[in-house]
């Protein structure tokens, strides 16, 4: 690398721009999981859960080789991200993109201070994950019966029973379990989803032992108003410190929805490098919100994440080149001299 | 149209979804320019100023024919948008995409209740605009000296003098003038822009008679924190009712910034107008709502 690449140059001037703006403190090197709000009412620290390697790649048309997945995760491990969702221990019949879950789990570098959760839809998947070296798992519920049936072939109640088996085994082994609630702001089959239903499913997951509940706007239809209403209902049942939001950007609303959530005190945000992962319910639409765009906003608000934005952009550039696709991150598009990865 | 197109189907179910959600009232047919905040603290009504035909097309690589511009504006006129920026009366040497400003101005349908502002950087442009039938004009200042010099070839002070000539003539003719302040949250040349500078330029424009000041995040670098800080400075000088925000989405921050700025338009019709112009430009829409709603993201 003889001359400074334009992306890095831009980074340097952007960092300069950021430092000058009075609202923005320079992100400290180490993460401080402080929960007290700033004078602005926002959390001082927000934990970013990177879902690109799992949720992202699972929803991309192109299946990437195992080595590429491992390299992506290794690059992400060096960015300061505190949690990276690695893979999913589901049958390769259902999710061929995650068929190499054992190899990926065993192949990645494990950085100290970084969590590497994996999806485990049932007890079989859980045991397979533990055997492959997993030290944290996630279970995925839904606030809509139709979505539960279409997505995981069982009712919400049946899925809860399966998850209880997982959390019981996990508790015996001191393995933390994270719970997701899909369709928190709308369902592709049922349309509207009642906030109390989201609260009810969240409570079931939390009561069975999930340490954190990630509320997913699965089809990205939510807006600040519906986000606020849903969170108000859920916060009656779950402590704020155990809540996360997983916003899809299908309708461009993700950052506004995330801002609304953090204004209410939510301090954990899921996102996907380069915005990997389209929406299976709206052809041609995007899905996950881009980690780079979230970090940009949080940096601008003076909120600490511990994450190096430039390093995430480089990892995003790597995976987009491998996928032969253009990044979905606007920050990355603006920062690299061309939007494409050719 | 035999079967319902998938975009419309999606619209119908989405509208249904919207109606069910308690936080979202159905947009009233007529605009209510009420300024009292709702219980949520948000305004009851927000005026959308559509800048696609001017700011949008001026910054697209492909130059569209005059007829296409006129058709786009006519489609937008039917959506309920209260203001549509039509064109720019600048020399075609500088802005070739807007060379047909007279033809466009004369060719569009004028819908009652819709404003059709045009850009007029100086007195010559102003008179040309009036001659072509314009009934509202806009002037574009900047909060950065470098940007002013690079963009309009003069200092901020010199530009203010030119605008004062425009607003003076406009006042004599009862023509409303809207003022823009570019680089409100950052400048591509200078980097940081001090909020007090934005407030100062805004105040000059407001004092000379601009009825509304649109604060532009020209390079989209702003975030909710910097938007808040800038607005706090500007609101010391300009009443809230005279303020607008013009947020660029270059870094994906626009909606979060707009939300911060705001703590009634028929969505389906706007999407169809957007689809029309993207087909004409042979490009993919930048609107995520449109991408999600039409069955393919491309326009081929």
């Amino acid at each position: 690398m003889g001359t400074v690449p334009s992306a890095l140059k831009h980074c340097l001037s952007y960092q300069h721009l950021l430092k000058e703006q009075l609202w923005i403190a320079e992100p400290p090197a180490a993460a401080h999981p402080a929960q007290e709000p700033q004078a602005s009412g926002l959390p001082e620290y927000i934990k970013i859960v990177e879902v690109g390697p799992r949720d992202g790649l699972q929803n991309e048309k192109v299946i990437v080789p195992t080595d590429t997945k491992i390299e992506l995760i290794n690059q992400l491990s060096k960015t300061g991200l505190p949690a990276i969702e690695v893979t999913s221990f589901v049958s390769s019949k259902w999710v061929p993109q995650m068929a190499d879950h054992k190899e990926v789990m065993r192949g990645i570098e494990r950085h100290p201070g970084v969590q590497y959760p994996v999806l485990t839809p049932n007890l079989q998947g859980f045991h397979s994950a533990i055997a492959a070296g997993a030290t944290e798992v996630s279970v995925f519920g839904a606030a809509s019966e139709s979505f539960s049936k279409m997505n995981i072939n069982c009712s919400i109640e049946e899925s809860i029973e399966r998850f209880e088996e997982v959390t019981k085994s996990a508790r015996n082994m001191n393995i933390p379990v994270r719970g997701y609630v899909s369709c928190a702001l709308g369902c592709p089959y049922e349309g509207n989803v009642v906030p109390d239903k989201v609260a009810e499913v969240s409570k079931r997951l939390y009561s069975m032992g999930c340490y954190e509940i990630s509320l997913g706007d699965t089809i990205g239809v939510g807006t600040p108003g519906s986000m606020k209403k849903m969170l108000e209902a859920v916060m009656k049942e779950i402590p704020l410190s155990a809540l996360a939001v997983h916003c899809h950007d299908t309708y461009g609303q993700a950052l506004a929805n995330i801002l609304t959530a953090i204004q209410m005190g939510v301090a954990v945000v899921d996102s996907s490098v380069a915005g990997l992962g389209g929406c299976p319910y709206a052809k041609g639409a995007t899905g996950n919100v881009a980690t780079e765009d979230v970090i940009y906003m949080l940096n601008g608000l003076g909120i600490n994440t511990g994450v190096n934005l430039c390093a995430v952009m480089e990892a995003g550039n790597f995976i987009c080149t491998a996928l032969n696709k253009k990044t979905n991150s606007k920050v990355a598009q603006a920062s690299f001299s061309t939007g494409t990865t050719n």
Side-chain angles (χ1 to χ4, degrees), chain A:
Chain A
M1 216 165 66
T3 52
V4 177
S6 55
L8 192 53
K9 266 189 204 160
H10 189 105
C11 268
L12 292 170
S13 60
Y14 174 57
Q15 288 293 332
H16 179 64
L17 178 65
L18 284 184
K19 281 178 197 164
E20 286 184 339
Q21 291 189 6
L22 293 174
W23 275 90
I24 299 152
E26 188 169 50
H32 300 169
Q35 293 295 352
E36 280 88 39
Q38 304 179 41
S40 60
L42 299 171
E44 278 195 3
Y45 170 77
I46 284 182
K47 172 178 134 189
I48 304 285
V49 177
E50 170 60 48
V51 301
R54 203 286 305 171
D55 195 11
L57 293 183
Q58 180 169 322
N59 288 297
E60 287 288 337
K61 296 190 199 76
V62 172
I63 297 184
V64 301
T66 306
D67 285 349
T68 305
K69 286 179 187 162
I70 290 171
E71 176 59 22
L72 171 64
I73 294 166
N74 289 345
Q75 287 197 22
L76 290 168
S77 288
K78 295 172 188 155
T79 61
L81 283 161
I84 302 166
E85 199 174 65
V86 171
T87 186
S88 184
F89 281 79
V90 300
S91 162
S92 55
K93 264 184 300 181
W94 298 112
V95 186
Q97 300 91 328
M98 299 286 124
D100 54 1
H101 41 242
K102 288 185 195 142
E103 291 76 13
V104 173
M105 195 70 228
R106 292 198 188 111
I108 57 170
E109 295 164 7
R110 305 280 202 111
H111 289 237
V114 183
Q115 296 302 316
Y116 296 95
V118 299
L119 252 68
T120 54
N122 50 39
L123 201 55
Q124 181 184 348
F126 174 76
H127 288 308
S128 187
I130 298 304
T135 49
E136 179 173 327
V137 301
S138 306
V139 294
F140 255 79
S144 149
E145 282 292 354
S146 312
F147 188 84
S148 189
K149 289 193 180 109
M150 296 293 288
N151 208 40
I152 54 176
N153 275 312
C154 63
S155 69
I156 295 177
E157 191 57 42
E158 285 165 340
S159 73
I160 295 284
E161 285 165 20
R162 290 181 196 174
F163 302 151
E164 273 168 340
E165 292 181 337
V166 171
T167 53
K168 198 171 162 188
S169 286
R171 191 163 40 249
N172 290 340
M173 303 177 67
N174 277 329
I175 298 282
V177 183
R178 191 185 205 230
Y180 283 86
V181 181
S182 302
C183 295
L185 297 176
C187 170
Y189 310 105
E190 291 183 11
N192 189 34
V193 171
V194 176
D196 284 348
K197 187 70 183 175
V198 182
E200 181 197 319
V201 177
S202 302
K203 188 176 180 181
R204 297 292 298 276
L205 293 172
Y206 188 68
S207 305
M208 75 171 68
C210 293
Y211 76 92
E212 195 167 87
I213 309 298
S214 176
L215 304 162
D217 183 12
T218 306
I219 48 170
V221 289
T223 52
S226 62
M227 170 63 82
K228 186 166 193 269
K229 204 165 162 55
M230 183 274 294
L231 283 175
E232 281 169 349
V234 174
M235 277 159 58
K236 288 180 192 158
E237 307 290 349
I238 316 283
L240 196 49
S241 57
L243 287 181
V245 289
H246 182 115
C247 296
H248 277 202
D249 204 36
T250 318
Y251 289 82
Q253 308 297 304
L255 283 197
N257 293 341
I258 289 168
L259 179 64
T260 300
I262 67 177
Q263 282 172 344
M264 292 172 76
V266 172
V268 183
V269 175
D270 298 358
S271 60
S272 175
V273 62
L276 291 180
C279 180
Y281 307 99
K283 185 179 166 193
T286 56
N288 284 303
V289 67
T291 301
E292 298 92 317
D293 299 358
V294 173
I295 303 268
Y296 186 99
M297 182 175 76
L298 298 180
N299 283 351
L301 285 166
I303 294 173
N304 181 23
T305 61
V307 181
N308 182 321
L309 176 55
C310 291
V312 176
M313 282 200 285
E314 283 173 22
N317 189 37
F318 163 76
I319 192 62
C320 287
T321 306
L323 286 165
N324 193 28
K325 67 167 276 185
K326 193 172 155 182
T327 180
N328 282 333
S329 158
K330 289 213 161 174
V331 172
Q333 282 176 38
S335 302
F336 287 95
S337 54
T338 64
T340 59
T341 55
N342 292 331

